[in-house]
Amino acid sequence: MVKTKGEYETPEAFNDMVIAYRYGRLIKLRDIGFAEDGLDEERSITRFNGKTAVGLSVKRQTGENTVAVAERVKAAVAAIRPPERMKLDITFDQSTYIRRSIADVQVSLWLGAVLAVLIILFSSGASGAR
């Protein structure tokens, strides 16, 4: 891996980069290897709806609220206007499951409260009838 501060317009220009000076001679990248404009061997591929895609995963930092982070990401994605031939989608949103879980807990709490009141009413009514 070579890290450079400048930009090279072509692979040929990159190949002419001096990487060392040994024994009174300049050693260029082309002397030990080469640069080419192309893709490395594909190690993995991402597809969405049967088409090649680019995937980006956004994860919250420790201590952050997953739902709040998801809302900020959705707002940022909505503000992005991709080029005409490109489509930008959110394919997985963990906050959806968190919201459902919270809603389920709220329903369970309300149901428990109603049942507790009914049990108290019926048990006090039954004991008063004796």
Side-chain angles (χ1 to χ4, degrees), residues 43-104:
R43 294 184 185 157
S44 65
I45 189 165
T46 301
R47 292 196 182 276
F48 181 66
N49 289 337
K51 295 182 180 176
T52 302
V54 175
L56 173 67
S57 178
V58 177
K59 298 184 182 215
R60 68 171 177 83
Q61 290 182 338
T62 303
E64 286 290 324
N65 181 312
T66 301
V67 175
V69 170
E71 290 304 317
R72 291 195 305 264
V73 169
K74 287 178 190 176
V77 166
I80 296 173
R81 301 285 180 231
E84 191 175 303
R85 298 179 317 174
M86 199 180 276
K87 187 174 180 183
L88 183 61
D89 283 321
I90 296 176
T91 59
F92 177 74
D93 179 3
Q94 190 174 7
S95 71
T96 303
Y97 303 104
I98 293 171
R99 282 192 183 95
R100 282 188 201 149
S101 296
I102 291 170
D104 288 346

Side-chain angles (χ1 to χ4, degrees), residues 14 100 106 114:
F14 198 85
R100 282 188 201 149
Q106 289 173 336
V114 168

